[in-house]
Amino acid sequence: MGFGHILSVRPFHVDVPYLEALRERWEEDCKAFIMPWGHMIPTLEDVAYLTGLPVQGEPVVGLERRDYYDDIVELLGPEFVAGRRRPIRSILLGSLLEAVGLRGRRRGPLETLDEFCIGVRGALDLGDRSEERSIRVFVSYLLGRLLFATQSSQMNCKFVLLLWDLAQAGRYAWGAAMLGHLFSLLPSSSQRSQSTGGFTPFL
């Protein structure tokens, strides 16, 4: 599906102060980071090299609907809409976190990053779902919490519709969409907020 390389990246630490300093150098008018040595523009080549995500292929364009209730029940399961009123347009990221068995999992004060990651892998639990549904739940979690993260606690359901056909999902240009999403969030984050959405480890 195009996520193999990014899932095999060794654990690393995101330096938040460094990220904040970099974000302050973003110039919206020229869509570049202004550095002492000149402009620095993240490119699709950088995305392909650093993340391994495909940058060529079908565009990642979700279908906008008024209500995704039936789609979510069929693709992910009824537990993702339980107790919620229609129309359903977003999935709570907490429900995806719980579905993969990672709710409440935090790095301990004496735990190394490698030890934490081993514990997370051991905690992953997709229950008794079918293989296809389990893959859809995990990929939805990956999309909502990593590649297309926002400052919201919800993920737009339009991304889940891209997982109807798992074979087709491997033909999407996930890397290009990730870079576009990150670019769309940088202007607002650099001006008004204390955190950046999008796949910030790429920066």
Side-chain angles (χ1 to χ4, degrees):
M1 293 176 65
F3 303 117
H5 182 76
I6 200 166
L7 291 173
S8 65
V9 171
R10 287 183 47 81
F12 59 91
H13 174 71
V14 175
D15 189 326
V16 175
Y18 176 78
L19 186 61
E20 293 297 317
L22 179 64
R23 195 180 65 170
E24 289 174 6
R25 293 185 171 274
W26 178 255
E27 179 58 51
E28 171 60 13
D29 293 338
C30 57
K31 299 275 193 272
F33 295 101
I34 308 301
M35 301 303 211
W37 57 86
H39 292 51
M40 187 177 84
I41 304 171
T43 66
L44 290 175
E45 185 177 0
D46 296 328
V47 172
Y49 181 75
L50 295 172
T51 69
L53 291 169
V55 296
Q56 294 180 329
E58 297 292 320
V60 177
V61 180
L63 298 172
E64 292 288 345
R65 297 188 180 173
R66 294 184 64 234
D67 185 13
Y68 295 90
Y69 185 97
D70 296 329
D71 301 309
I72 296 305
V73 169
E74 185 168 345
L75 292 172
L76 301 182
E79 64 271 24
F80 290 93
V81 295
R84 296 185 64 196
R85 293 190 336 203
R86 295 181 87 154
I88 301 288
R89 292 192 180 104
S90 61
I91 300 172
L92 302 173
L93 291 175
S95 65
L96 289 170
L97 189 67
E98 189 168 322
V100 295
L102 297 178
R103 182 179 287 284
R105 181 75 173 112
R106 299 229 186 267
R107 185 175 168 194
L110 301 177
E111 193 174 28
T112 68
L113 189 56
D114 284 332
E115 289 169 341
F116 173 71
C117 290
I118 290 169
V120 166
R121 285 189 185 104
L124 280 173
D125 177 21
L126 292 166
D128 57 358
R129 297 180 186 91
S130 70
E131 186 175 290
E132 282 196 2
R133 187 170 281 181
S134 295
I135 291 170
R136 287 190 187 104
V137 168
F138 180 76
V139 172
S140 296
Y141 173 75
L142 178 72
L143 298 177
R145 295 286 293 195
L146 190 66
L147 297 185
F148 303 114
T150 65
Q151 295 173 33
S152 168
S153 61
Q154 302 183 28
M155 180 184 83
N156 192 311
C157 291
K158 67 183 179 182
F159 291 114
V160 178
L161 295 188
L162 298 173
L163 305 177
W164 269 108
D165 181 350
L166 294 177
Q168 171 65 25
R171 294 193 276 272
Y172 287 114
W174 296 110
M178 179 276 294
L179 185 61
H181 179 71
L182 184 61
F183 270 27
S184 73
L185 295 176
L186 276 169
S188 60
S189 64
S190 64
Q191 294 167 10
R192 292 187 294 275
S193 72
Q194 297 301 310
S195 61
T196 301
F199 184 47
T200 54
F202 170 71
L203 296 177

